[in-house]
Amino acid sequence: MPTYSIPLKEAPGWVDNKLRIAIREGALRGLYSAALRMVQEVQVRIIPKLVPVPTQRGIYKAGWKAGRTSDGAWYGNSTPYAGIVEYGVPAGRVKVGAAMIAALTEWVLIKGFASGLAEAKHVAWAVATRMAANLTVDGQRRAGGGQGIFKGTGLRVMEKANERIVKIAEEEVAREVERALGGA
């Protein structure tokens, strides 16, 4: 932190005009910088370590964004399935249907878990059955595997990221306040 020498009679004006403004502007820039670092933390450190890694085309990973607000900053992911990745879906809430099988078939093909469309549909059906607590086939109710989606609890990406937010915000705000005071 820089050192300043000012006459005592100028201290109230300096604190009000220089210090207050530098702290506010530095804190706002520092919080935004921290939000940007958190996006990087999620994309580079957290997501690659997850099992299973929530990537198909990289849309979820690329969906992490940061932004400014009037009094700080934010970071998050607003992709349509971010909530499913974060919190999972309990087995009892998994509803197996044609749309789910079609989406899973596409996923199976992209991941290379099957060599053709027919095999991919069989694998997709097996995955869907494993996720659901129960399902109806030809009017018959059957038990499923009860695993849910992401084990019904989710991967908790934001929670993992938030374990580092305080340290990162402190570093970024301190650096930006110092810069605003002319120390960098």
Side-chain angles (χ1 to χ4, degrees), residues 12-78:
W14 184 86
V15 167
D16 194 41
N17 294 328
K18 176 77 172 164
L19 186 60
R20 182 180 56 81
I21 292 167
I23 289 173
R24 174 151 176 80
E25 289 176 1
L28 289 174
R29 281 195 310 271
L31 290 172
Y32 180 59
S33 180
L36 291 171
R37 272 185 63 189
M38 292 308 298
V39 168
Q40 180 182 23
E41 183 82 11
V42 167
Q43 293 174 332
V44 174
R45 290 193 179 93
I46 296 172
I47 289 176
K49 291 180 183 175
L50 294 173
V51 177
V53 177
T55 58
Q56 178 177 330
R57 295 184 178 114
I59 296 169
Y60 171 75
K61 186 176 180 181
W64 286 89
K65 306 287 183 213
R68 299 177 191 265
T69 65
S70 62
D71 61 350
W74 61 269
Y75 76 100
N77 191 323
S78 61

Side-chain angles (χ1 to χ4, degrees), residues 86-109:
E86 186 71 20
Y87 301 111
V89 177
R93 305 283 314 251
V94 175
K95 306 299 179 211
V96 179
M100 181 181 189
I101 298 299
L104 284 172
T105 300
E106 181 183 356
W107 175 77
V108 167
L109 288 169

Side-chain angles (χ1 to χ4, degrees), residues 10 90 165 184:
E10 294 177 18
I165 187 67

Side-chain angles (χ1 to χ4, degrees), residues 129-130 132-137 140-146:
T129 302
R130 179 79 176 193
N134 51 57
L135 55 150
T136 304
V137 179
Q140 300 282 339
R141 192 147 176 98
R142 296 183 185 176

